[in-house]
Amino acid sequence: MSVSYLVRRVLGMLPLLLGVSLILFGVLHLAPGGPLDVYADNPSVTAEALAQMKRAFGLDKPLPIQYVSWVSAFFQGEWGYSIRTAQPVVTEVLSRVPATLMLGGTAFVLALLVAIPLGVLSAARRYSAVDYFITLLSFLGISMPVFWLALMLQLVFAVQWRLLPSAGMQNIGDGSPLDLLRHLLLPAFILAFASVAGWSRYMRASMVEVLGQDYVRTARAKGVSERKVTYGHAFRNALIPVVTVVALDLASILSGAVITETIFAWPGLGRLFIDSMNGRDYPVLMALLMVGSFALVVSNLLADLAYAAIDPRIRYD
């Protein structure tokens, strides 16, 4: 991959993110109500105090001027202040990033280690009992609501059996790695479970298609072992379509697992998003949405890099 191609891709991100920010800003501010509505019915908040708050957050200006002010400051690293906590938005977001990276990274690696082998095994033994069993598990994982499965696992492992904690990142006064691992197991499994179900199906479909190609039949006709045909000839080519799905899911996992973090009270970006949405904290919401958009754009670039690494025939000039 040439340097000029990478430079063009990076420069192309800027107008894309700018357009995304315009749409997100408009949708948030055109929704019914506003970020200060929570104070409107509070008898202790006077009209003068409410007007001062509007001026402080720039909400008294026309919407186009608000957007220009926000976007110029945002791309300079000035993300404003949280309406709920009055803390800098950058501080609020960055303080939640390590927890989300820990949870999302663990779930992502776990999902890859399970989904890819299951997909390959299912394709190599298609229409067998193993294939049907993996297919059944995949369909269950795709159709089962994440929140329901999370609540059921909490009920079994945390409430009834008392093997694992039900929520949080660590017990008060205990910051040991073992305690962190116990808190991480359930949410990481839940977050990985849905990805395993989908990725294994994509991997199976891609492997079945590649195993039916002429060069695979030629390799078999030459007496090449089935193991070498599967892993030496078909596996890398079958990975290319799967990389796209995995890259897009990586962005959603690392930008904040909203449902999982909320149910397990995991102090990451997903839970911050829910808290900010309930409190109509527009500065924090815009920052989180832009972080998610940036992660999605970067994941597409990483997918291109992965294509070139998997298939040497692919070149970007």
Side-chain angles (χ1 to χ4, degrees), residues 45-252:
V45 179
T46 64
E48 182 180 354
L50 194 61
Q52 290 178 353
M53 294 176 65
K54 287 183 178 180
R55 287 194 297 269
F57 289 103
L59 299 175
D60 58 330
K61 301 176 182 178
L63 195 60
I65 297 179
Q66 290 186 42
Y67 172 73
V68 172
S69 300
W70 173 85
V71 75
S72 60
F74 184 84
F75 283 100
Q76 295 178 23
E78 297 292 337
W79 293 6
Y81 291 85
S82 169
I83 296 177
R84 293 183 305 113
T85 64
Q87 297 295 319
V89 175
V90 174
T91 303
E92 293 238 340
V93 173
L94 292 182
S95 65
R96 304 295 186 101
V97 169
T100 292
L101 288 179
M102 180 185 302
L103 175 59
T106 303
F108 181 76
V109 173
L110 180 61
L112 273 183
L113 293 178
V114 176
I116 301 301
L118 284 182
V120 174
L121 179 62
S122 183
R125 301 187 181 182
R126 59 185 180 275
Y127 308 130
S128 66
V130 174
D131 182 25
Y132 290 137
F133 180 71
I134 295 175
T135 300
L136 176 62
L137 291 181
S138 299
F139 286 162
L140 286 176
I142 294 173
S143 60
M144 189 178 300
V146 174
F147 72 90
W148 181 86
L149 179 60
L151 292 175
M152 291 301 101
L153 291 183
Q154 278 183 331
L155 178 63
V156 174
F157 288 96
V159 178
Q160 295 184 351
W161 294 351
R162 299 183 180 275
L163 296 177
L164 297 172
S166 61
M169 191 172 176
Q170 60 185 18
N171 290 329
I172 298 177
D174 188 353
S176 65
L178 180 60
D179 180 60
L180 178 61
L181 178 61
R182 294 180 68 249
H183 284 81
L184 181 64
L185 284 177
L186 279 181
F189 174 81
I190 292 297
L191 196 56
F193 185 72
S195 298
V196 168
W199 296 354
S200 63
R201 297 308 298 167
Y202 279 108
M203 191 67 212
R204 180 191 183 278
S206 184
M207 278 293 296
V208 168
E209 181 180 356
V210 172
L211 288 174
Q213 298 294 322
D214 291 339
Y215 70 89
V216 174
R217 290 195 293 266
T218 302
R220 286 171 174 160
K222 290 181 177 180
V224 179
S225 65
E226 190 64 26
R227 181 180 181 85
K228 188 173 182 180
V229 167
T230 301
Y231 295 99
H233 294 274
F235 179 67
R236 290 183 65 178
N237 289 331
L239 275 178
I240 295 177
V242 181
V243 166
T244 304
V245 180
V246 172
L248 294 177
D249 285 352
L250 173 62
S252 62

